[in-house]
């Protein structure tokens, strides 16, 4: 019986964590299927990654309400459609992604009791909002839901420790950490030229890269202001953005804005390397206005380092500790809110203008495959119906097994 990944995502081709988990499970000899809801809201069957079968559902309610409205109705329909698909056949593991799918857990627990599935894994890509962490009713609900999961997965140790302390220790024992590190398939992709439109726009100029930089919590305004008010390389922003953001920035900075800042829109994960490889540095900023962003573990930070590209990061503890620990870039004094602080960090990074000489060792140190024991333990718990405590976290699958991809 297969492992079923259930996810609500921007798009399967953009979800690198899902891709890595799926391919790792395949390398362990497990059959994997994906059941997903994408922002495109199209239903149908396809294959993704290494010919992994994927089924997408469509929500009719998205046509009834404008974006941001009718959330309760949309969520209820999502649950009903996901559960209808899950109940069509027996599953070994149902691996739910993100906090919003916690509503599936009670029904999945009933299906497990009836023998329709064997195990439930809840992969929490993010932390609950701070307001929920302060809410006693939510805390009780969260503890009740996690108690009905066989395992909970989180993206770094800092988040696990926070939730363990918040829960009084009851959740910590159920949590496995899978850091969002790049896999060898991504790290060893050949170096390729930039797309022609980006290359023409640069016209030979150097540039900084901001992956996902247009998201509301990434200090885009500070970064743009720092680049435009200093004799610095240009800026390429990769990831989704809104036309309103472009208009506001252009109104603020005038004609200089479009001459020095390029927005590419969304780029599939496996097409990111040309933008990374030719950058002076990758800029990774997160507002520290919530526990989730303060304790961020961004995929794009590790992606840049695996390609030998230095980074400029805010003072968020996980990022700052990593960059200081292996001397792979510049750590700002702030989280990036201070334009002068960002400007100073960019100047320092631009002055160095060198790739990381330790890229090879960092690829090994920051390798998704180094977590193979954790993934294997999760799978063996599910397939055998019991916890196998004899597997060491230091046990690793040979990296050569992953090179064939």
């Amino acid at each position: 019986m297969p492992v079923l990944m259930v996810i609500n995502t921007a798009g399967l081709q953009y979800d690198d964590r899902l891709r890595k988990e799926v391919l790792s499970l395949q390398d362990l000899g497990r059959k994997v299927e994906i059941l997903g809801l994408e922002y495109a809201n199209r239903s149908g069957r396809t294959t993704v990654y290494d010919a992994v079968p994927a089924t997408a559902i469509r929500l009719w309610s998205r046509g009834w309400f404008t974006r941001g409205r009718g959330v309760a109705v949309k969520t209820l329909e999502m649950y009903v459609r996901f559960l209808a698909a899950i109940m069509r056949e027996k599953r070994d593991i149902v691996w739910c992604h993100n906090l919003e799918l916690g509503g599936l857990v009670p029904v999945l627990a009933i299906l497990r009791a009836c023998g329709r599935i064997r195990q439930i894994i809840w992969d929490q890509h993010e932390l609950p909002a701070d307001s929920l962490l302060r809410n006693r009713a939510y805390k009780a609900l969260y503890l009740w839901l996690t108690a009905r999961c066989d395992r909970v997965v989180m993206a770094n140790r800092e988040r696990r420790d926070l939730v363990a302390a918040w829960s009084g220790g009851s959740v910590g024992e159920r949590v496995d950490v899978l850091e969002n590190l790049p896999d060898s398939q991504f790290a060893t992709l050949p170096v390729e030229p930039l797309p022609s439109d980006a290359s023409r726009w640069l016209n030979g100029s150097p540039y900084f890269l901001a992956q996902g930089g247009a998201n509301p919590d990434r200090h885009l305004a500070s970064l743009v202001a720092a680049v435009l008010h200093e004799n610095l390389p240009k800026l390429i922003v990769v990831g989704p953005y809104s036309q309103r953001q472009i208009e506001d920035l252009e109104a603020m900075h005038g004609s200089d804005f479009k001459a020095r800042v390029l927005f590419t829109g969304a780029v599939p994960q496996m097409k990111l390397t040309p933008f990374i490889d030719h950058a002076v540095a990758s800029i990774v900023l997160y507002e520290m206005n919530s526990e989730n962003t303060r304790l961020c573990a961004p995929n794009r930070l590790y992606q840049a380092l695996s390609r030998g590209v230095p980074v400029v990061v805010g003072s968020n503890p996980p990022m700052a500790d990593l960059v200081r620990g292996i001397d792979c870039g510049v750590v700002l004094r702030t989280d990036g809110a201070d334009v002068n602080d960002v400007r100073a960090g960019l100047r320092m990074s631009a002055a160095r203008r060198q790739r990381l000489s330790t890229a090879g060792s960092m690829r090994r140190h920051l390798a998704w495959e180094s977590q193979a024991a954790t993934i294997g333990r999760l799978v063996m718990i599910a397939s055998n119906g019991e916890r196998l405590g004899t597997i060491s976290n230091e046990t690793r699958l040979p990296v050569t097994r992953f090179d064939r991809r």
Side-chain angles (χ1 to χ4, degrees):
M1 292 185 291
V3 177
L4 180 66
M5 294 285 192
V6 186
I7 190 166
N8 176 16
T9 179
L12 297 179
Q13 72 270 36
Y14 304 119
D15 205 306
D16 203 44
R17 183 178 180 88
L18 176 67
R19 179 188 68 86
K20 290 177 293 193
E21 288 173 340
V22 165
L23 296 183
S24 293
L25 290 170
Q26 283 191 324
D27 275 299
L28 289 166
R30 298 308 306 268
K31 180 181 177 182
V32 187
E33 297 175 359
I34 299 171
L35 175 63
L37 170 63
E38 298 179 290
Y39 287 178
N41 199 31
R42 291 190 296 262
S43 62
R45 295 187 178 184
T46 185
T47 56
V48 294
Y49 316 141
D50 277 5
V52 177
T55 301
I57 66 168
R58 179 187 178 191
L59 298 187
W60 293 105
S61 54
R62 283 189 176 176
W64 305 339
F65 301 96
T66 58
R67 187 173 181 178
R69 295 187 177 276
V71 175
V73 176
K74 293 173 185 176
T75 302
L76 179 60
E77 185 188 0
M78 178 180 69
Y79 288 165
V80 170
R81 290 189 180 276
F82 274 153
L83 288 170
I86 291 169
M87 288 190 288
R88 289 192 189 111
E89 57 184 279
K90 287 186 176 181
R91 311 286 182 175
D92 192 4
I93 309 167
V94 175
W95 190 315
C96 295
H97 289 260
N98 298 311
L99 288 167
E100 67 262 28
L101 295 193
L104 299 178
V105 170
V107 181
L108 293 178
I110 295 171
L111 294 177
R112 181 181 55 195
C114 296
R116 297 290 297 176
I117 63 175
R118 294 189 183 180
Q119 298 284 335
I120 305 164
I121 297 175
W122 190 8
D123 196 335
Q124 300 177 8
H125 298 198
E126 310 288 345
L127 284 172
D130 286 10
S131 59
L132 294 177
L133 289 173
R134 294 189 294 267
N135 186 300
R136 291 185 179 181
Y138 179 81
K139 180 178 179 179
L141 174 63
Y142 181 91
L143 296 179
W144 187 84
L145 291 173
T146 55
R148 277 142 190 82
C149 297
D150 296 282
R151 300 302 294 171
V152 172
V153 179
M154 293 183 179
N156 65 15
R157 290 167 179 79
E158 291 86 353
R159 290 178 176 178
R160 179 193 62 189
D161 293 346
L162 183 144
V163 170
W166 173 66
S167 67
S170 62
V171 173
E173 296 178 355
R174 293 180 175 272
V175 176
D176 287 289
V177 173
L178 283 179
E179 295 186 88
N180 213 4
L181 305 173
D183 64 353
S184 62
Q185 182 179 5
F186 183 92
T188 59
L189 285 170
V191 176
E192 296 182 351
L194 281 165
S196 57
D197 54 349
S199 183
R200 283 194 302 270
W201 177 82
L202 285 167
N203 194 26
S205 300
Y207 67 95
F208 289 115
L209 176 68
Q211 286 174 247
N215 280 6
D217 58 2
R218 309 292 168 83
H219 285 307
L220 177 64
S222 298
L223 179 56
V224 169
V227 168
L228 294 183
H229 291 87
E230 187 76 21
N231 185 23
L232 287 169
K234 293 182 176 182
L235 176 66
I236 293 182
V237 182
V238 173
Y241 64 90
S242 70
Q243 189 58 37
R244 178 64 181 271
Q245 286 176 303
I246 301 291
E247 293 169 358
D248 289 347
L249 289 168
E250 191 170 11
M252 186 181 301
H253 299 290
S255 59
D256 220 21
F257 169 69
K258 284 195 173 179
R260 306 270 322 273
V261 182
L262 174 69
F263 287 75
T264 68
V267 176
Q269 287 290 315
M270 301 308 285
K271 300 292 185 181
L272 286 172
T273 53
F275 294 98
I276 297 172
D277 291 342
H278 302 288
V280 173
S282 180
I283 318 301
V284 186
L285 304 177
Y286 275 85
E287 294 179 358
M288 284 202 288
N289 58 0
S290 72
E291 290 294 349
N292 187 54
T293 53
R294 187 179 72 86
L295 300 178
C296 57
N299 186 36
R300 64 189 189 280
L301 170 66
Y302 304 124
Q303 286 177 330
L305 298 179
S306 76
R307 304 293 296 185
V309 175
V311 294
V312 177
V313 302
S315 55
N316 313 59
M319 299 196 301
D321 291 346
L322 172 65
V323 174
R324 289 192 185 107
I326 58 179
D327 190 24
C328 57
V330 175
V331 179
L332 304 180
R333 291 183 296 101
T334 68
D335 65 354
D338 187 315
V339 175
N340 290 327
D341 185 27
V342 177
R343 189 177 301 148
L346 297 182
R347 277 202 306 264
M348 187 181 302
S349 180
R352 295 180 180 180
R353 289 296 300 274
Q354 60 183 14
R355 290 180 65 85
L356 299 173
S357 59
T358 56
S361 63
M362 277 193 287
R363 285 175 184 172
R364 293 187 294 272
H365 176 66
L366 300 174
W368 174 264
E369 288 82 3
S370 68
Q371 305 175 109
T374 300
I375 299 171
R377 184 170 60 248
L378 286 166
V379 173
M380 283 185 274
I381 291 170
S383 60
N384 296 341
E386 60 182 1
R387 182 174 181 177
L388 300 181
T390 59
I391 300 176
S392 167
N393 280 324
E394 299 303 316
T395 305
R396 301 181 181 184
L397 295 178
V399 174
T400 53
R401 289 194 59 188
F402 295 82
D403 290 342
R404 62 179 175 81
R405 294 199 297 267

